Each structure stands twice: as structure tokens, then as C-alpha cells.
Amino acid sequence: ARSLDKLYNFADCSGLHLIFALNALRRNSNNSWNSSNALSLLKYSASKKYNISWELGNEPNNYRTLIGRSVNGSQLGKDYTQLRSLLQLIRTYSKAHLYGPNIGRPRKNVIAFLEGFMKVAGGTVDAVTWQHYYIDGRVAKVTDFLKTRLLDTLSDQIRKIQKVVNTYTPGKKIWLEGVGMTSAGGMNNLSDSYAAGFLWLNTLGLLANQGIDVVVRHSFLDHGHNHLVDQNFNPLPDYWLSLLYKRLIGPKVLAIHVAGLQRKPRPGRVIRDKLRIYAHCTSYHNHNYVRGSITLYIINLHRSRKKIKLAGTLRDKIVHQYLLQPYGKDGLHSKSVQLNGQPLAMVDDGTLPELKPRPLRAGRTLVIPPLTMSFYVVKNVNALACRYR
């Protein structure tokens, strides 16, 4: 109870919503879920009037490895149906959201698991959840984070999940509820470094383009090396990247055309872009920019600078640049970043620094330095798609 109190109070103070994953490994002799412990937790939580959403288990496809006892998709579907019934018995949670099954990477056996689950409980969950890790944490090296082939693995996996979900519950929301740069908790000086940001920012852009509403990051603090802040609560590079994304990027995705980027593929060769450009309406919550502004975010994996000219209605607009680069002598391994040449650090324990843009005059060519991530707000475009929510 004390642990739940602390967890809920942290989420509540932070303006976050808590999703609590109940233990699915408590099993009866017939392998059905033993819900007695969960019911005690639900009753306690309801007595405190905690506003919580629920889930059951974590990567259930791995239970045989963990406890030598497997649970198939249809059994977990029955367990979720049982949990939904429990929630409906408790007034506080009669309309609470329920998410699952939080499966691992969609290999063949995992897809079969998801199919079994969706047949039984597809209508029970409010969103279908799954997890993705890019790299085996035991073999990761810094150059792995720059491989376009690696960046593209996620796209194929999204399609596999969408195919199953749309077969059983067309239009059901899909969430990526666990994403980390590396499995096995990540690696020190790699998954918590500037280099890992290329995968993180590309993940956000790719998922938004594919219609995935929610991405849950692993983890905030103190698990392996995928976290966003260090042991002293100082922000790591992915924290600053996430903060800029939240400040500048709205949920509405825009289609873009980049002339001169797509080369003609030769037979047997796949062209994988090392310059990745995404566009959204600028966040409506950012009062520095009027509605109708748009934000581009750009990943340059080339080892040379690239130049981009804005065309059409974007050509004669003032642009605000937010360029992130590693700070210090460690380069891609750095755990500190600079924004437009200025190192980013907390002002004090509770105060973030001002994230100052660099204004670029109208019509200026955007110069993208090598191995960088950047955001460009094109001001006052008055884009029709971005005027209204």
C-alpha cells in the first residue's frame, strides 16, 4: 500500500496518469489467473479514490522463460475478461481503462499469441499494447545507433501488429507501451548517450506517421541505462530531446515532399535515407507560436552537413532553429547536450533552463550539421490543417 501511495502521488504531482500493471503470474492449479491479491489492491486503491488505469502482466510471451510455466493468448484473454469483471464490481473503476496484452517483439510465436488474445479479449481492452527494443544490449556499440537498417525495423513490426488487430477489432487503438533503445536494461555510455537520440526521435516520428497515438518510454529513472535522468536527477540527452519534442510538436502529422532526397534504387539494393524529415503542426500549448505554424524535425545521419531550402508558402517565413549537438569531448558518447551552441543544464533543482531558439531570416537555407537532431518552427505559415484542433 505504501509503495502504491508513493507511486500515485508522484504521478499525480507530475500531472501524469498512472497505468498500473497487475501481476499475471499468480496462477491457479488449472493455470487460470488467481485474482485474490489484485482484488485487495483494487479495493485499497478505490478506498483512496485513486484515478488509475489497469493492465495485467508484462511480456506474457516470456513467462515460460521466467517461471517455466507458459500462458497462451486465449488464456490471457480469459484473464483479462475476468479482470474487466472485477473492475465493474468496484464503482471507482467500473469505467476504468484497461490495456494489454503488452506483448514483446512480434515474432511468429508472439503474433500467434496476439491472435489468441484478440479472439477472446479484443473488445475488452481500450488499446492494444506491445513493446519494442532495437538492439541486444549485450552487443550494442555506438555505430549501431546510426544504422538506417536498424531505424527501419520498427516500421515492419507496426504493420504486423496492425494486421492482427484490424482483423479482429478494426480501428482499435494501438500503443507502443514499452520502447527502449536496447534490451537487457541497455548499456552504460551508449543507451543513455547522445547517440541513442537518433533512434528515439525516429521512433516518435515513425509512429506518429503510422497513426500510433501513445508511446511509453522505458524508463524514467533507475532501471538499466535507458533512463531519462541520472542518479542525481540531472537530465540525460534523451530528456532534452523529449522536452523539445513536447514543447514544439503537436499531434497532427503533415505529409511532406522532399525533392532531391529520394535516389533511384539499383536492382537488389535498398535505399535507406540518412536524412529523415518529419513535419507536424506546432503544439497548440506553445504560446510562443500562433496557430497555423508548423514544426519540422530532422535527423541527419550523414557524416557531412546537408542543406535544405524551404519551398512554396514556407519560402518567405521566419524560421526558429533548435539544434541539438553533443556537448564536451565525448562526442556521440556524451551525456550532455548543447542547444544552438549553449550547454543545457538545470538552473536549480526545480527550474528548467530557457530553451532559446535561433531565429533564421526568411528565405535562408537550412544548414543541417552532420550527426545531429534539430527542430525548425516555420512561423506564421497559417497552414489550414494547423489552424484548428
Side-chain angles (χ1 to χ4, degrees):
R2 283 195 299 273
S3 297
L4 181 60
D5 292 342
K6 288 178 182 178
L7 191 60
Y8 186 82
N9 289 336
F10 167 74
D12 196 42
C13 287
S14 306
L16 301 171
H17 178 70
L18 181 63
I19 303 171
F20 193 97
L22 295 162
N23 187 354
L25 291 174
R26 290 175 175 269
R27 296 271 142 193
N28 297 314
S29 57
N30 65 354
N31 211 30
S32 64
W33 178 51
N34 185 329
S35 61
S36 57
N37 182 258
L39 184 58
S40 299
L41 185 78
L42 288 169
K43 286 178 177 177
Y44 173 78
S45 182
S47 74
K48 306 284 280 191
K49 294 184 168 55
Y50 287 159
N51 177 22
I52 297 178
S53 295
W54 303 93
E55 196 164 45
L56 180 59
N58 176 58
E59 291 197 72
N61 47 288
N62 285 335
Y63 286 173
R64 180 179 290 281
T65 308
L66 290 171
I67 60 166
R69 188 178 190 179
S70 63
V71 177
N72 62 31
S74 57
Q75 177 59 60
L76 189 69
K78 292 172 187 173
D79 301 335
Y80 261 78
T81 304
Q82 182 184 349
L83 174 55
R84 174 59 82 187
S85 298
L86 280 184
L87 293 173
Q88 288 170 344
L89 289 174
I90 299 169
R91 182 181 295 178
T92 305
Y93 300 121
S94 60
K95 295 182 180 177
H97 287 149
L98 179 61
Y99 304 109
N102 208 6
I103 51 171
R105 192 182 301 181
R107 297 185 176 95
K108 193 172 182 180
N109 64 317
V110 179
I111 289 295
F113 186 101
L114 180 60
E115 287 176 337
F117 177 84
M118 294 303 295
K119 281 178 190 174
V120 176
T124 302
V125 292
D126 294 281
V128 175
T129 58
W130 61 293
Q131 299 188 22
H132 174 76
Y133 295 91
Y134 281 96
I135 305 171
D136 185 333
R138 292 163 295 189
V139 297
K141 50 189 184 294
V142 73
T143 51
D144 286 335
F145 296 111
L146 311 179
K147 291 178 180 175
T148 53
R149 176 176 49 79
L150 188 71
L151 268 66
D152 291 337
T153 56
L154 180 58
S155 188
D156 180 52
Q157 296 194 12
I158 294 168
R159 284 192 290 270
K160 288 178 180 176
I161 297 286
Q162 286 174 328
K163 184 179 178 182
V164 175
V165 171
N166 290 328
T167 298
Y168 295 97
T169 53
K172 177 75 70 177
K173 288 184 181 296
I174 300 171
W175 291 6
L176 182 58
E177 209 195 61
V179 60
M181 302 311 100
T182 58
S183 61
M187 288 190 70
N188 191 25
N189 295 323
L190 287 174
S191 44
D192 51 1
S193 70
Y194 175 85
F198 296 116
L199 283 178
W200 178 225
L201 188 57
N202 190 69
T203 297
L204 295 173
L206 195 64
L207 290 168
N209 264 337
Q210 302 243 20
I212 305 296
D213 293 59
V214 172
V215 184
V216 179
R217 166 72 186 227
H218 279 187
S219 62
F220 188 74
L221 172 72
D222 206 25
H223 171 72
H225 302 282
N226 285 325
H227 46 248
L228 293 174
V229 298
D230 68 17
Q231 294 299 311
N232 299 313
F233 305 108
N234 294 312
L236 290 162
D238 275 5
Y239 180 95
W240 298 115
L241 188 58
S242 304
L243 181 63
L244 276 168
Y245 189 95
K246 279 288 189 186
R247 292 268 178 95
L248 300 174
I249 304 297
K252 193 171 286 187
V253 183
L254 304 175
I256 58 170
H257 174 70
V258 185
L261 183 62
Q262 287 80 13
R263 294 168 287 163
K264 290 182 179 178
R266 295 200 299 269
R269 183 169 179 232
V270 178
I271 298 297
R272 298 187 187 274
D273 295 323
K274 288 193 168 188
L275 189 68
R276 298 183 176 227
I277 305 174
Y278 299 98
H280 287 232
C281 297
T282 303
S283 173
Y284 296 138
H285 299 295
N286 193 322
H287 301 302
N288 295 321
Y289 302 109
V290 299
R291 289 197 179 187
S293 300
I294 70 169
T295 303
L296 307 172
Y297 49 110
I298 301 174
I299 299 167
N300 183 12
L301 292 168
H302 290 277
R303 296 184 181 273
S304 58
R305 69 178 188 174
K306 295 297 168 185
K307 295 181 178 180
I308 296 173
K309 277 187 176 292
L310 299 180
T313 54
L314 308 184
R315 190 194 312 268
D316 59 349
K317 304 298 181 187
I318 292 173
V319 175
H320 277 185
Q321 172 187 277
Y322 297 81
L323 172 65
L324 281 176
Q325 293 173 288
Y327 178 69
K329 63 182 186 304
D330 294 326
L332 293 174
H333 285 279
S334 179
K335 294 184 183 180
S336 301
V337 296
Q338 51 185 322
L339 177 65
N340 297 324
Q342 297 299 313
L344 288 176
M346 297 291 288
V347 176
D348 56 43
D349 280 352
T351 311
L352 290 162
E354 188 180 353
L355 301 176
K356 290 183 180 177
R358 180 188 173 200
L360 307 178
R361 71 175 184 273
R364 177 168 171 173
T365 298
L366 307 183
V367 179
I368 319 296
L371 301 176
T372 56
M373 294 162 275
S374 49
F375 299 81
Y376 294 90
V377 180
V378 188
K379 296 183 67 182
N380 307 322
V381 180
N382 203 26
L384 182 63
C386 299
R387 284 188 220 163
Y388 310 102
R389 284 179 187 261

PDB file of all heavy atoms in Angstrom, residues 84-109:
ATOM      1  N   ARG A  84     -11.730  -7.407 -16.180  1.00  0.00           N
ATOM      2  CA  ARG A  84     -12.758  -6.410 -16.535  1.00  0.00           C
ATOM      3  C   ARG A  84     -13.981  -6.582 -15.633  1.00  0.00           C
ATOM      4  O   ARG A  84     -14.562  -5.602 -15.152  1.00  0.00           O
ATOM      5  CB  ARG A  84     -13.132  -6.545 -18.013  1.00  0.00           C
ATOM      6  CG  ARG A  84     -14.279  -5.664 -18.467  1.00  0.00           C
ATOM      7  CD  ARG A  84     -13.994  -4.182 -18.244  1.00  0.00           C
ATOM      8  NE  ARG A  84     -13.191  -3.593 -19.294  1.00  0.00           N
ATOM      9  CZ  ARG A  84     -12.702  -2.368 -19.243  1.00  0.00           C
ATOM     10  NH1 ARG A  84     -12.919  -1.600 -18.169  1.00  0.00           N
ATOM     11  NH2 ARG A  84     -11.973  -1.885 -20.227  1.00  0.00           N
ATOM     12  N   SER A  85     -14.353  -7.836 -15.357  1.00  0.00           N
ATOM     13  CA  SER A  85     -15.494  -8.098 -14.467  1.00  0.00           C
ATOM     14  C   SER A  85     -15.219  -7.593 -13.054  1.00  0.00           C
ATOM     15  O   SER A  85     -16.109  -7.038 -12.398  1.00  0.00           O
ATOM     16  CB  SER A  85     -15.803  -9.596 -14.422  1.00  0.00           C
ATOM     17  OG  SER A  85     -16.163 -10.064 -15.705  1.00  0.00           O
ATOM     18  N   LEU A  86     -13.972  -7.783 -12.570  1.00  0.00           N
ATOM     19  CA  LEU A  86     -13.598  -7.280 -11.250  1.00  0.00           C
ATOM     20  C   LEU A  86     -13.721  -5.763 -11.189  1.00  0.00           C
ATOM     21  O   LEU A  86     -14.242  -5.206 -10.218  1.00  0.00           O
ATOM     22  CB  LEU A  86     -12.147  -7.662 -10.922  1.00  0.00           C
ATOM     23  CG  LEU A  86     -11.834  -9.074 -10.426  1.00  0.00           C
ATOM     24  CD1 LEU A  86     -10.347  -9.172 -10.087  1.00  0.00           C
ATOM     25  CD2 LEU A  86     -12.660  -9.423  -9.198  1.00  0.00           C
ATOM     26  N   LEU A  87     -13.231  -5.090 -12.228  1.00  0.00           N
ATOM     27  CA  LEU A  87     -13.275  -3.629 -12.267  1.00  0.00           C
ATOM     28  C   LEU A  87     -14.720  -3.127 -12.236  1.00  0.00           C
ATOM     29  O   LEU A  87     -15.025  -2.120 -11.588  1.00  0.00           O
ATOM     30  CB  LEU A  87     -12.562  -3.110 -13.526  1.00  0.00           C
ATOM     31  CG  LEU A  87     -11.046  -3.326 -13.594  1.00  0.00           C
ATOM     32  CD1 LEU A  87     -10.509  -2.933 -14.962  1.00  0.00           C
ATOM     33  CD2 LEU A  87     -10.327  -2.542 -12.496  1.00  0.00           C
ATOM     34  N   GLN A  88     -15.600  -3.840 -12.918  1.00  0.00           N
ATOM     35  CA  GLN A  88     -17.000  -3.413 -12.969  1.00  0.00           C
ATOM     36  C   GLN A  88     -17.714  -3.598 -11.627  1.00  0.00           C
ATOM     37  O   GLN A  88     -18.732  -2.959 -11.368  1.00  0.00           O
ATOM     38  CB  GLN A  88     -17.722  -4.165 -14.091  1.00  0.00           C
ATOM     39  CG  GLN A  88     -17.294  -3.679 -15.468  1.00  0.00           C
ATOM     40  CD  GLN A  88     -17.801  -4.557 -16.604  1.00  0.00           C
ATOM     41  OE1 GLN A  88     -18.221  -5.694 -16.378  1.00  0.00           O
ATOM     42  NE2 GLN A  88     -17.761  -4.032 -17.822  1.00  0.00           N
ATOM     43  N   LEU A  89     -17.162  -4.457 -10.775  1.00  0.00           N
ATOM     44  CA  LEU A  89     -17.740  -4.664  -9.441  1.00  0.00           C
ATOM     45  C   LEU A  89     -17.404  -3.514  -8.489  1.00  0.00           C
ATOM     46  O   LEU A  89     -18.067  -3.328  -7.471  1.00  0.00           O
ATOM     47  CB  LEU A  89     -17.217  -5.975  -8.837  1.00  0.00           C
ATOM     48  CG  LEU A  89     -17.732  -7.276  -9.457  1.00  0.00           C
ATOM     49  CD1 LEU A  89     -16.992  -8.455  -8.840  1.00  0.00           C
ATOM     50  CD2 LEU A  89     -19.239  -7.407  -9.249  1.00  0.00           C
ATOM     51  N   ILE A  90     -16.348  -2.763  -8.837  1.00  0.00           N
ATOM     52  CA  ILE A  90     -15.890  -1.687  -7.954  1.00  0.00           C
ATOM     53  C   ILE A  90     -16.270  -0.351  -8.593  1.00  0.00           C
ATOM     54  O   ILE A  90     -15.821  -0.021  -9.692  1.00  0.00           O
ATOM     55  CB  ILE A  90     -14.359  -1.773  -7.754  1.00  0.00           C
ATOM     56  CG1 ILE A  90     -14.001  -3.116  -7.112  1.00  0.00           C
ATOM     57  CG2 ILE A  90     -13.847  -0.611  -6.911  1.00  0.00           C
ATOM     58  CD1 ILE A  90     -12.527  -3.431  -7.093  1.00  0.00           C
ATOM     59  N   ARG A  91     -17.138   0.401  -7.915  1.00  0.00           N
ATOM     60  CA  ARG A  91     -17.719   1.608  -8.521  1.00  0.00           C
ATOM     61  C   ARG A  91     -16.650   2.560  -9.067  1.00  0.00           C
ATOM     62  O   ARG A  91     -16.776   3.090 -10.166  1.00  0.00           O
ATOM     63  CB  ARG A  91     -18.587   2.331  -7.501  1.00  0.00           C
ATOM     64  CG  ARG A  91     -19.269   3.579  -8.080  1.00  0.00           C
ATOM     65  CD  ARG A  91     -20.112   4.288  -7.041  1.00  0.00           C
ATOM     66  NE  ARG A  91     -21.238   3.462  -6.606  1.00  0.00           N
ATOM     67  CZ  ARG A  91     -22.108   3.834  -5.671  1.00  0.00           C
ATOM     68  NH1 ARG A  91     -21.952   4.995  -5.060  1.00  0.00           N
ATOM     69  NH2 ARG A  91     -23.111   3.045  -5.337  1.00  0.00           N
ATOM     70  N   THR A  92     -15.562   2.745  -8.319  1.00  0.00           N
ATOM     71  CA  THR A  92     -14.495   3.677  -8.737  1.00  0.00           C
ATOM     72  C   THR A  92     -13.905   3.286 -10.086  1.00  0.00           C
ATOM     73  O   THR A  92     -13.477   4.150 -10.861  1.00  0.00           O
ATOM     74  CB  THR A  92     -13.373   3.703  -7.671  1.00  0.00           C
ATOM     75  OG1 THR A  92     -13.956   4.012  -6.408  1.00  0.00           O
ATOM     76  CG2 THR A  92     -12.309   4.738  -8.012  1.00  0.00           C
ATOM     77  N   TYR A  93     -13.880   1.987 -10.370  1.00  0.00           N
ATOM     78  CA  TYR A  93     -13.208   1.506 -11.582  1.00  0.00           C
ATOM     79  C   TYR A  93     -14.153   0.858 -12.593  1.00  0.00           C
ATOM     80  O   TYR A  93     -13.716   0.166 -13.508  1.00  0.00           O
ATOM     81  CB  TYR A  93     -12.093   0.522 -11.200  1.00  0.00           C
ATOM     82  CG  TYR A  93     -11.058   1.185 -10.313  1.00  0.00           C
ATOM     83  CD1 TYR A  93     -10.783   0.682  -9.038  1.00  0.00           C
ATOM     84  CD2 TYR A  93     -10.404   2.341 -10.725  1.00  0.00           C
ATOM     85  CE1 TYR A  93      -9.869   1.304  -8.209  1.00  0.00           C
ATOM     86  CE2 TYR A  93      -9.488   2.982  -9.900  1.00  0.00           C
ATOM     87  CZ  TYR A  93      -9.227   2.461  -8.650  1.00  0.00           C
ATOM     88  OH  TYR A  93      -8.325   3.087  -7.830  1.00  0.00           O
ATOM     89  N   SER A  94     -15.449   1.107 -12.442  1.00  0.00           N
ATOM     90  CA  SER A  94     -16.416   0.464 -13.350  1.00  0.00           C
ATOM     91  C   SER A  94     -16.215   0.932 -14.801  1.00  0.00           C
ATOM     92  O   SER A  94     -16.542   0.209 -15.738  1.00  0.00           O
ATOM     93  CB  SER A  94     -17.847   0.741 -12.895  1.00  0.00           C
ATOM     94  OG  SER A  94     -18.101   2.140 -12.888  1.00  0.00           O
ATOM     95  N   LYS A  95     -15.655   2.132 -14.957  1.00  0.00           N
ATOM     96  CA  LYS A  95     -15.391   2.636 -16.306  1.00  0.00           C
ATOM     97  C   LYS A  95     -13.902   2.891 -16.535  1.00  0.00           C
ATOM     98  O   LYS A  95     -13.534   3.624 -17.454  1.00  0.00           O
ATOM     99  CB  LYS A  95     -16.193   3.925 -16.541  1.00  0.00           C
ATOM    100  CG  LYS A  95     -17.701   3.700 -16.533  1.00  0.00           C
ATOM    101  CD  LYS A  95     -18.463   4.980 -16.813  1.00  0.00           C
ATOM    102  CE  LYS A  95     -19.973   4.719 -16.802  1.00  0.00           C
ATOM    103  NZ  LYS A  95     -20.761   5.961 -17.003  1.00  0.00           N
ATOM    104  N   ALA A  96     -13.058   2.280 -15.715  1.00  0.00           N
ATOM    105  CA  ALA A  96     -11.605   2.481 -15.838  1.00  0.00           C
ATOM    106  C   ALA A  96     -11.100   1.885 -17.142  1.00  0.00           C
ATOM    107  O   ALA A  96     -11.657   0.906 -17.661  1.00  0.00           O
ATOM    108  CB  ALA A  96     -10.891   1.834 -14.655  1.00  0.00           C
ATOM    109  N   HIS A  97     -10.046   2.461 -17.672  1.00  0.00           N
ATOM    110  CA  HIS A  97      -9.443   1.940 -18.899  1.00  0.00           C
ATOM    111  C   HIS A  97      -8.583   0.717 -18.589  1.00  0.00           C
ATOM    112  O   HIS A  97      -7.941   0.629 -17.533  1.00  0.00           O
ATOM    113  CB  HIS A  97      -8.601   3.018 -19.579  1.00  0.00           C
ATOM    114  CG  HIS A  97      -9.431   4.085 -20.224  1.00  0.00           C
ATOM    115  ND1 HIS A  97      -9.034   5.388 -20.338  1.00  0.00           N
ATOM    116  CD2 HIS A  97     -10.667   4.029 -20.789  1.00  0.00           C
ATOM    117  CE1 HIS A  97      -9.964   6.094 -20.947  1.00  0.00           C
ATOM    118  NE2 HIS A  97     -10.972   5.293 -21.230  1.00  0.00           N
ATOM    119  N   LEU A  98      -8.585  -0.201 -19.538  1.00  0.00           N
ATOM    120  CA  LEU A  98      -7.825  -1.445 -19.412  1.00  0.00           C
ATOM    121  C   LEU A  98      -7.012  -1.632 -20.690  1.00  0.00           C
ATOM    122  O   LEU A  98      -7.552  -1.504 -21.800  1.00  0.00           O
ATOM    123  CB  LEU A  98      -8.790  -2.622 -19.209  1.00  0.00           C
ATOM    124  CG  LEU A  98      -8.197  -4.022 -19.067  1.00  0.00           C
ATOM    125  CD1 LEU A  98      -7.269  -4.103 -17.854  1.00  0.00           C
ATOM    126  CD2 LEU A  98      -9.317  -5.062 -18.962  1.00  0.00           C
ATOM    127  N   TYR A  99      -5.717  -1.903 -20.532  1.00  0.00           N
ATOM    128  CA  TYR A  99      -4.827  -2.015 -21.693  1.00  0.00           C
ATOM    129  C   TYR A  99      -4.108  -3.358 -21.682  1.00  0.00           C
ATOM    130  O   TYR A  99      -3.876  -3.949 -20.630  1.00  0.00           O
ATOM    131  CB  TYR A  99      -3.793  -0.884 -21.671  1.00  0.00           C
ATOM    132  CG  TYR A  99      -4.412   0.496 -21.609  1.00  0.00           C
ATOM    133  CD1 TYR A  99      -4.326   1.274 -20.454  1.00  0.00           C
ATOM    134  CD2 TYR A  99      -5.115   1.015 -22.691  1.00  0.00           C
ATOM    135  CE1 TYR A  99      -4.909   2.532 -20.388  1.00  0.00           C
ATOM    136  CE2 TYR A  99      -5.699   2.268 -22.633  1.00  0.00           C
ATOM    137  CZ  TYR A  99      -5.595   3.022 -21.474  1.00  0.00           C
ATOM    138  OH  TYR A  99      -6.177   4.267 -21.421  1.00  0.00           O
ATOM    139  N   GLY A 100      -3.716  -3.829 -22.860  1.00  0.00           N
ATOM    140  CA  GLY A 100      -2.978  -5.090 -22.932  1.00  0.00           C
ATOM    141  C   GLY A 100      -2.896  -5.590 -24.368  1.00  0.00           C
ATOM    142  O   GLY A 100      -3.437  -4.962 -25.275  1.00  0.00           O
ATOM    143  N   PRO A 101      -2.216  -6.717 -24.587  1.00  0.00           N
ATOM    144  CA  PRO A 101      -1.600  -7.624 -23.609  1.00  0.00           C
ATOM    145  C   PRO A 101      -0.120  -7.322 -23.321  1.00  0.00           C
ATOM    146  O   PRO A 101       0.544  -8.094 -22.653  1.00  0.00           O
ATOM    147  CB  PRO A 101      -1.732  -8.976 -24.297  1.00  0.00           C
ATOM    148  CG  PRO A 101      -1.583  -8.653 -25.765  1.00  0.00           C
ATOM    149  CD  PRO A 101      -2.240  -7.307 -25.948  1.00  0.00           C
ATOM    150  N   ASN A 102       0.400  -6.209 -23.846  1.00  0.00           N
ATOM    151  CA  ASN A 102       1.787  -5.806 -23.586  1.00  0.00           C
ATOM    152  C   ASN A 102       2.772  -6.901 -23.971  1.00  0.00           C
ATOM    153  O   ASN A 102       3.679  -7.250 -23.205  1.00  0.00           O
ATOM    154  CB  ASN A 102       1.962  -5.415 -22.113  1.00  0.00           C
ATOM    155  CG  ASN A 102       3.081  -4.397 -21.927  1.00  0.00           C
ATOM    156  OD1 ASN A 102       3.650  -3.903 -22.903  1.00  0.00           O
ATOM    157  ND2 ASN A 102       3.395  -4.091 -20.698  1.00  0.00           N
ATOM    158  N   ILE A 103       2.615  -7.414 -25.180  1.00  0.00           N
ATOM    159  CA  ILE A 103       3.491  -8.469 -25.693  1.00  0.00           C
ATOM    160  C   ILE A 103       4.843  -7.904 -26.106  1.00  0.00           C
ATOM    161  O   ILE A 103       5.013  -6.696 -26.262  1.00  0.00           O
ATOM    162  CB  ILE A 103       2.848  -9.168 -26.913  1.00  0.00           C
ATOM    163  CG1 ILE A 103       2.392  -8.111 -27.945  1.00  0.00           C
ATOM    164  CG2 ILE A 103       1.722 -10.078 -26.487  1.00  0.00           C
ATOM    165  CD1 ILE A 103       1.937  -8.673 -29.259  1.00  0.00           C
ATOM    166  N   GLY A 104       5.798  -8.806 -26.308  1.00  0.00           N
ATOM    167  CA  GLY A 104       7.122  -8.409 -26.771  1.00  0.00           C
ATOM    168  C   GLY A 104       7.160  -8.259 -28.288  1.00  0.00           C
ATOM    169  O   GLY A 104       6.127  -8.182 -28.956  1.00  0.00           O
ATOM    170  N   ARG A 105       8.353  -8.218 -28.828  1.00  0.00           N
ATOM    171  CA  ARG A 105       8.553  -8.015 -30.265  1.00  0.00           C
ATOM    172  C   ARG A 105       7.772  -9.050 -31.079  1.00  0.00           C
ATOM    173  O   ARG A 105       7.796 -10.236 -30.766  1.00  0.00           O
ATOM    174  CB  ARG A 105      10.049  -8.126 -30.579  1.00  0.00           C
ATOM    175  CG  ARG A 105      10.430  -7.657 -31.958  1.00  0.00           C
ATOM    176  CD  ARG A 105      11.919  -7.848 -32.204  1.00  0.00           C
ATOM    177  NE  ARG A 105      12.723  -7.124 -31.232  1.00  0.00           N
ATOM    178  CZ  ARG A 105      14.054  -7.129 -31.259  1.00  0.00           C
ATOM    179  NH1 ARG A 105      14.707  -7.844 -32.160  1.00  0.00           N
ATOM    180  NH2 ARG A 105      14.736  -6.443 -30.356  1.00  0.00           N
ATOM    181  N   PRO A 106       7.051  -8.611 -32.117  1.00  0.00           N
ATOM    182  CA  PRO A 106       6.128  -9.519 -32.829  1.00  0.00           C
ATOM    183  C   PRO A 106       6.800 -10.531 -33.751  1.00  0.00           C
ATOM    184  O   PRO A 106       6.711 -10.459 -34.975  1.00  0.00           O
ATOM    185  CB  PRO A 106       5.245  -8.549 -33.625  1.00  0.00           C
ATOM    186  CG  PRO A 106       6.092  -7.349 -33.848  1.00  0.00           C
ATOM    187  CD  PRO A 106       6.938  -7.221 -32.620  1.00  0.00           C
ATOM    188  N   ARG A 107       7.479 -11.492 -33.138  1.00  0.00           N
ATOM    189  CA  ARG A 107       7.962 -12.642 -33.909  1.00  0.00           C
ATOM    190  C   ARG A 107       6.785 -13.592 -34.137  1.00  0.00           C
ATOM    191  O   ARG A 107       5.691 -13.369 -33.655  1.00  0.00           O
ATOM    192  CB  ARG A 107       9.088 -13.345 -33.151  1.00  0.00           C
ATOM    193  CG  ARG A 107      10.330 -12.481 -32.940  1.00  0.00           C
ATOM    194  CD  ARG A 107      11.434 -13.307 -32.277  1.00  0.00           C
ATOM    195  NE  ARG A 107      12.663 -12.550 -32.136  1.00  0.00           N
ATOM    196  CZ  ARG A 107      13.010 -11.881 -31.043  1.00  0.00           C
ATOM    197  NH1 ARG A 107      12.198 -11.876 -29.994  1.00  0.00           N
ATOM    198  NH2 ARG A 107      14.146 -11.226 -30.967  1.00  0.00           N
ATOM    199  N   LYS A 108       7.050 -14.681 -34.841  1.00  0.00           N
ATOM    200  CA  LYS A 108       5.968 -15.582 -35.263  1.00  0.00           C
ATOM    201  C   LYS A 108       5.149 -16.092 -34.078  1.00  0.00           C
ATOM    202  O   LYS A 108       3.915 -16.077 -34.097  1.00  0.00           O
ATOM    203  CB  LYS A 108       6.570 -16.759 -36.040  1.00  0.00           C
ATOM    204  CG  LYS A 108       5.542 -17.591 -36.790  1.00  0.00           C
ATOM    205  CD  LYS A 108       6.236 -18.616 -37.688  1.00  0.00           C
ATOM    206  CE  LYS A 108       5.213 -19.420 -38.468  1.00  0.00           C
ATOM    207  NZ  LYS A 108       5.862 -20.423 -39.350  1.00  0.00           N
ATOM    208  N   ASN A 109       5.833 -16.562 -33.007  1.00  0.00           N
ATOM    209  CA  ASN A 109       5.093 -17.109 -31.862  1.00  0.00           C
ATOM    210  C   ASN A 109       4.319 -16.013 -31.119  1.00  0.00           C
ATOM    211  O   ASN A 109       3.251 -16.252 -30.548  1.00  0.00           O
ATOM    212  CB  ASN A 109       6.050 -17.818 -30.897  1.00  0.00           C
ATOM    213  CG  ASN A 109       7.062 -16.871 -30.270  1.00  0.00           C
ATOM    214  OD1 ASN A 109       7.624 -16.014 -30.956  1.00  0.00           O
ATOM    215  ND2 ASN A 109       7.309 -17.015 -28.978  1.00  0.00           N
TER     216      ASN A 109
END
